[in-house]
Amino acid sequence: MDEVKQEETKELPKLEKKFEKMTIKELREIALQIPEISGVHGMNKEELISALKKAYGIKEEPKKVGASMREIKAKVKKFKALAEEAKNNKDWTKYERYRKLAAKFKKRTRKLAKSIT
């Protein structure tokens, strides 16, 4: 029973700046010091920030409306595969449509990457 109380009173590392302004290396260093967070090295920056905010008890404000980078990249991959399939079937109208959709989503990833930095 005393061990549980000691673990609860263990202090979290102090923050020098906001999570969003920190590099991924800094976020990982902090997350590694918190035992509740596991799989730190497999997380991207957004996931680390979310886990750290949860550990610190900071309320997360809702994200911007739109897809995450992973979702957009999955769509790009899907449309490229569909375009390749249509090309093999010599269905050129579908091939062009899927190729253009893949390009459109690829542009979105670039735009999203610019907005994050």
Side-chain angles (χ1 to χ4, degrees), residues 14-78:
K14 298 213 178 198
L15 301 175
E16 297 166 12
K17 52 187 174 180
K18 291 183 178 182
F19 291 129
E20 289 79 10
K21 299 284 182 181
M22 291 183 184
T23 64
I24 196 155
K25 281 186 176 183
E26 293 171 324
L27 292 169
R28 280 193 182 123
E29 287 174 13
I30 294 171
L32 286 170
Q33 296 173 11
I34 302 171
E36 296 92 37
I37 302 175
S38 61
V40 172
H41 291 287
M43 294 182 182
N44 62 25
K45 187 171 181 176
E46 291 174 359
E47 293 168 338
L48 278 169
I49 290 172
S50 178
L52 286 168
K53 283 185 176 182
K54 192 174 185 181
Y56 276 89
I58 299 170
K59 186 178 177 187
E60 283 191 72
E61 55 279 338
K63 286 186 173 182
K64 295 184 276 183
V65 176
S68 72
M69 185 69 86
R70 285 186 181 179
E71 292 169 347
I72 296 172
K73 284 187 176 185
K75 286 181 182 180
V76 169
K77 195 173 185 178
K78 179 182 104 177

Side-chain angles (χ1 to χ4, degrees), residues 2-11 36:
D2 292 329
E3 292 174 19
V4 175
K5 287 181 183 176
Q6 288 175 354
E7 288 179 21
E8 288 176 12
T9 58
K10 187 176 180 182
E11 289 187 28
E36 296 92 37

